[in-house]
């Protein structure tokens, strides 16, 4: 039997130019009653305040790739984000009385991904909560990007077995959009209400299966020999996140006007299509497989 949840952390601004999460954190800090529930404590954290103040994704490197166990334990690493990751681990985990049991990390994307839950593990509690959220809001999609162990997981959510990231889009970097802000806030309240009901022993059943998009691989843009890109997302694929892409269908359009097609053997469901922050990561999109899993 799983223990009661005593402490929940809501994190925003892990990427400083993703304003939805950062400003929700400011709102919740200003109006704490919004996130107060009787059976547990909720704390808020602006993860990367320097990058947020500068309106940049990060100062030295991507904070959401700094949570590998080996990085957190390496005393020689000293970039701003590496030190910040150690500080966040310290804040959320070091004091046993103040240790968090659940982390909700708020993100936004320039891709047309709507409301997405990103699972970094397959803990039954996370799956059931994801199933509940997609049940109360059919627009919610579940992206599972599982690692074989916590040691290999570089994301902030790896600090805690329970919890996940919420990814909303499409929204440009460094701006707020009221509709996505409200939808994200609504999702946060639904998560907190579920945790409250769990603590009260009143969990609602939402069926036996959950539809998830399981991560297969990442695809880079077509490149010249010197590494510069020679094409872009094909207009027929742009904004079609979570829609099936079959072998032979257009994927990229080169600057010369040539269509490059998807050459895989089976249908996939691309997401993070043309995400602005992923150009530097050499990712044009992530390919997923749609699966039904039994809860």
């Amino acid at each position: 039997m799983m223990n009661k949840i005593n402490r929940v952390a809501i994190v925003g601004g892990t990427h400083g130019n993703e304003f939805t999460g950062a400003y929700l954190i400011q709102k919740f800090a200003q109006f704490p009653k919004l996130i107060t529930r009787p059976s547990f404590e909720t704390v808020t954290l602006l993860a990367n305040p320097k990058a947020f103040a500068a309106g940049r994704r990060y100062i030295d490197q991507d904070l959401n790739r700094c949570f590998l166990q080996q990085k957190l334990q390496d005393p020689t690493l000293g970039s701003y984000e590496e030190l910040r990751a150690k500080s966040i681990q310290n804040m959320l985990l070091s004091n046993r009385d103040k240790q968090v049991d659940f982390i909700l990390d708020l993100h936004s994307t320039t891709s047309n991904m709507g409301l997405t839950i990103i699972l970094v593990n397959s803990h039954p509690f996370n799956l059931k909560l994801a199933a509940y959220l997609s049940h109360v809001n059919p627009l919610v999609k579940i992206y599972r990007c599982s690692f074989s162990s916590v040691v290999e997981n570089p994301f902030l959510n790896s600090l805690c077995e329970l919890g996940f990231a919420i990814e909303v889009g499409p929204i440009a970097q460094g701006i707020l959009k009221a509709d996505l802000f409200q939808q994200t806030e609504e999702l946060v309240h639904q998560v907190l209400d579920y945790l409250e009901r769990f603590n009260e022993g009143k969990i609602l059943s939402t069926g036996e299966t959950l539809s998830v998009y399981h991560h297969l691989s990442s695809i880079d843009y077509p490149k010249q020999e010197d590494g510069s890109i020679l094409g872009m997302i094909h207009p027929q694929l742009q904004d079609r996140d979570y829609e099936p892409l079959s072998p032979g269908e257009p994927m990229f359009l080169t600057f010369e006007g040539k269509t490059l097609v998807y050459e895989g053997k089976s249908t996939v469901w691309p997401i993070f299509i043309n995400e602005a922050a992923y150009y530097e990561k050499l990712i044009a999109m992530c390919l997923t497989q749609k699966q039904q899993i039994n809860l």
Side-chain angles (χ1 to χ4, degrees):
M1 184 68 184
M2 212 178 85
N3 293 336
K4 184 174 166 243
I5 285 162
N6 295 310
R7 207 150 185 264
V8 173
I10 304 175
V11 182
T14 303
H15 296 129
N17 59 2
E18 295 178 7
F19 280 6
T20 305
Y23 278 100
L24 271 171
I25 293 303
Q26 290 195 350
K27 176 175 177 174
F28 294 149
Q30 192 179 348
F31 306 105
K33 280 190 173 171
L34 292 172
I35 52 170
T36 301
R37 299 294 183 276
S39 71
F40 58 86
E41 182 189 2
T42 309
V43 297
T44 57
L45 175 66
L46 181 62
N48 199 332
K50 264 194 183 177
F52 176 57
R56 288 164 51 183
R57 184 174 173 85
Y58 54 77
I59 300 300
D60 294 323
Q61 59 181 296
D62 190 336
L63 176 60
N64 209 31
R65 302 296 183 274
C66 289
F67 291 90
L68 283 168
Q69 286 299 307
Q70 68 208 52
K71 276 192 161 192
L72 292 168
Q73 290 160 11
D74 187 341
T76 66
L77 299 179
S79 79
Y80 170 69
E81 274 83 10
E82 284 163 343
L83 294 174
R84 186 66 186 156
K86 292 174 187 179
S87 167
I88 289 170
Q89 181 190 40
N90 207 28
M91 284 185 272
L92 299 184
L93 298 185
S94 64
N95 181 340
R96 180 155 288 194
D97 298 333
K98 295 285 187 184
Q99 199 164 344
V100 300
D101 305 306
F102 188 98
I103 296 175
L104 195 57
D105 190 19
L106 308 179
H107 289 261
S108 56
T109 172
T110 62
S111 302
N112 187 28
M113 284 170 61
L115 298 171
T116 295
I117 304 294
I118 301 182
L119 298 177
V120 294
N121 63 41
S122 293
H123 193 288
F125 184 86
N126 290 337
L127 291 174
K128 284 178 180 166
L129 172 49
Y132 168 77
L133 294 171
S134 60
H135 176 73
V136 295
N137 186 347
L139 296 177
V140 170
K141 302 279 198 306
I142 315 300
Y143 168 44
R144 184 168 62 170
C145 181
S146 297
F147 296 83
S148 53
S149 74
V150 168
V151 181
E152 295 171 17
N153 182 345
F155 305 129
L156 187 146
N157 266 105
S158 71
L159 293 176
C160 196
E161 200 172 25
L162 302 184
F164 42 70
I166 292 176
E167 187 83 59
V168 298
I171 181 169
Q173 297 170 344
I175 69 164
L176 287 167
K177 267 169 96 175
D179 58 340
L180 289 177
F181 187 93
Q182 290 172 319
Q183 287 172 35
T184 307
E185 183 173 6
E186 178 68 17
L187 213 44
V188 169
H189 290 308
Q190 287 165 345
V191 170
L192 297 178
D193 291 342
Y194 182 95
L195 299 179
E196 178 67 19
R197 282 208 282 272
F198 170 78
N199 281 348
E200 293 172 346
K202 297 177 182 169
I203 281 307
L204 304 169
S205 176
T206 57
E208 301 301 310
T209 61
L210 173 65
S211 190
V212 302
Y213 294 83
H214 182 74
H215 182 88
L216 295 173
S217 63
S218 301
I219 300 288
D220 194 3
Y221 292 90
K223 295 279 175 72
Q224 319 245 30
E225 280 181 17
D226 66 359
S228 60
I229 65 173
L230 54 78
M232 52 209 148
I233 301 292
H234 196 281
Q236 283 183 23
L237 181 58
Q238 181 62 45
D239 298 327
R240 287 185 53 199
D241 299 73
Y242 292 114
E243 292 186 32
L245 176 69
S246 298
E249 291 188 333
M251 206 172 194
F252 297 104
L253 182 67
T254 71
F255 300 136
E256 296 172 347
K258 183 184 172 194
T259 293
L260 304 180
V261 301
Y262 171 56
E263 294 178 349
K265 291 186 167 55
S266 59
T267 298
V268 289
W269 284 259
I271 64 170
F272 281 115
I273 297 171
N274 208 12
E275 162 59 48
Y278 284 1
Y279 276 71
E280 67 173 28
K281 294 190 192 307
L282 314 180
I283 296 173
M285 69 194 76
C286 297
L287 302 183
T288 73
Q289 182 180 36
K290 195 174 183 182
Q291 299 177 338
Q292 291 291 328
I293 54 175
N294 293 317
L295 297 174

